[in-house]
Amino acid sequence: MKSTAHHDERIAQITFASVYPHYITKVEKKGRSISELHQVIQWLTGYDEVALQQHISNKSTFNEFFAAADLNPKAELITGSICGYKIQDIENPLTKKVRFLDKLVDELAKGKAMEKMFRN
């Protein structure tokens, strides 16, 4: 499936704060913790707890959220499908970053070991 410009623009305008509770629900339902979720987010973006909470409080869009992030260079090693899209085939850089995060949250919920999620 190929993303469209409309799809990419919609993703850019979604606030991280609106999706974050869904991430929490997903991982907790599978027995993982918010702390582990934050580790995953920090690994991908470089955000510590304070920065993460600021983005949530400020209702940063995904565009703003990832524009300020220090993306982990190993993020490019994240492959596979998420939401019907092959991550490695996504052309829009922002959409790709959002799907990196979605994939990591999925892996966390599925019980994958942190070392493997961090592509070590």
Side-chain angles (χ1 to χ4, degrees):
M1 189 182 305
K2 188 170 170 77
S3 67
T4 64
H6 174 72
H7 176 261
D8 293 334
E9 183 57 33
R10 268 189 42 233
I11 285 177
Q13 296 309 313
I14 294 171
T15 62
F16 176 77
S18 70
V19 177
Y20 177 70
H22 299 288
Y23 291 155
I24 291 172
T25 300
K26 184 173 199 160
V27 300
E28 285 186 332
K29 192 187 312 183
K30 298 292 185 165
R32 301 302 288 257
S33 68
I34 294 174
S35 173
E36 289 173 307
L37 173 62
H38 288 187
Q39 281 181 289
V40 167
I41 294 170
Q42 184 171 9
W43 177 85
L44 181 63
T45 64
Y47 294 142
D48 61 13
E49 289 287 328
V50 172
L52 183 59
Q53 290 307 317
Q54 284 177 332
H55 281 289
I56 293 167
S57 297
N58 295 342
K59 295 186 178 9
S60 299
T61 63
F62 271 125
N63 191 37
E64 296 162 336
F65 182 80
F66 280 106
D70 183 17
L71 198 71
N72 191 309
K74 289 186 177 181
E76 289 295 328
L77 300 175
I78 301 170
T79 59
S81 293
I82 189 78
C83 301
Y85 297 92
K86 282 195 170 283
I87 294 171
Q88 55 273 27
D89 295 341
I90 297 173
E91 294 176 8
N92 181 284
L94 176 61
T95 301
K96 190 173 209 170
K97 291 172 188 174
V98 173
R99 296 305 181 199
F100 285 158
L101 179 56
D102 291 342
K103 184 68 174 179
L104 289 171
V105 171
D106 257 16
E107 290 176 351
L108 181 63
K110 289 179 180 173
K112 194 168 188 176
M114 289 289 196
E115 301 80 38
K116 289 188 178 187
M117 287 192 312
F118 296 162
R119 282 31 189 195
N120 290 335

